[in-house]
Amino acid sequence: MTSNYSKSTVFSSVISVIVVGILIRKRKNVLEYRQSLNDEVQQTLKTIDASNIPENAIYFLETSGLPMLSPKQLCAVESAALHHPNRPVVVAVKNEFLQLPIVLKSWSERYPNVMFINLDIVQWLNGTILLPWLSKNLLDKSPFKTAQSSNALRYATLFKYGGLYLDTDVIVMRPMDDLVNAVGLYATNGINNAVMAFEKHHPYIEACLKDVSAKFNPKKWGSNGPDLLTRVINTFCNFNKTNLLKPGYCKGIRILDISDLKIQYLASITRQTIKK
Ligand SMILES: *[C@@H]1O[C@H](CO)[C@@H](O)[C@H](O)[C@H]1NC(C)=O
Ligand SMILES: *[C@@H]1O[C@H](CO)[C@@H](O)[C@H](O)[C@H]1NC(C)=O
């Protein structure tokens, strides 16, 4: 009995030491990770000729002009890269350089599919009807320039290159390659523009570009965001009061409820509210 007792005491002590050891080590890793987030390297971003941007990639756009990405934004990029090792992940940033945590040095080995590039808005819109629209300088008159240029750029991106556009706060949990010609629908009957997947030159996206070009209102926050996508799909698919916009298919476009989109692929997606 005594020997059994002491054996189990020794056993549980050994287990405790191991557990404590693991916890200390984990804590150390967390601290090292935090430390390395504080150590930054400045990376100058290349402007890539528009014809060299990969098609059917995953695209993130950072249009604020800030010289950094937040840990959450980096997490979004990493989650997309992790779940799509065979697909390019393009992070196009308005600023010419980025202060990136030093841990990202190891990204080039772990995620060779990620490319951080400088977003030259003229090149990016070239080849779409938004290039002449840009030269009207309406964006400069907008108090919501960051959001509105991001909206215009994401439609142009999908039109020119095809692929998957993601907001930088979307955390990917599963491969999203089966998402083609798809958008997410809010419960309030509006199309969300945080996650969009389209083949290049898709007529719906082309109609969105035409809508920006014809109806852009620099003073109205949502004018070329969810409002636009909803307005355009209603026309494109002949939705009306009896034939409502709802989850399903229309003209080859898959309309998913936002909660299905979340359940199937994502850990996080912002519920954008439209400021009127
Ligand atoms: C747009 O692209 C075309 C073809 O690549 C090029 O010749 C032209 O110079 C570009 N325009 C601008 C404004 O960059
Ligand atoms: C609504 O759309 C359906 C299908 O396109 C059409 O048959 C119907 O006439 C439309 N109703 C109205 C009120 O426009």
Side-chain angles (χ1 to χ4, degrees), residues 38-51:
N38 292 332
D39 291 338
E40 293 185 334
V41 281
Q42 182 169 311
Q43 188 174 325
T44 303
L45 301 175
K46 280 191 211 121
T47 306
I48 296 201
D49 190 79
S51 58

Side-chain angles (χ1 to χ4, degrees), residues 53-61 76-92 113-115 124 157-158 161-167 170 172 174-177 179 195-197:
I53 306 287
E55 292 188 355
N56 195 29
I58 297 173
Y59 304 92
F60 290 97
L61 304 173
V77 173
E78 183 172 17
S79 71
L82 177 72
H83 292 289
H84 302 86
N86 300 318
R87 202 166 170 185
V89 175
V90 176
V91 187
N113 52 332
V114 177
M115 56 200 283
W124 208 269
T157 305
L158 291 173
Y161 306 115
L164 175 64
Y165 166 82
L166 297 176
D167 268 1
V170 170
V172 178
R174 267 168 224 103
M176 299 176 79
D177 297 318
L179 215 56
V195 178
M196 293 187 286

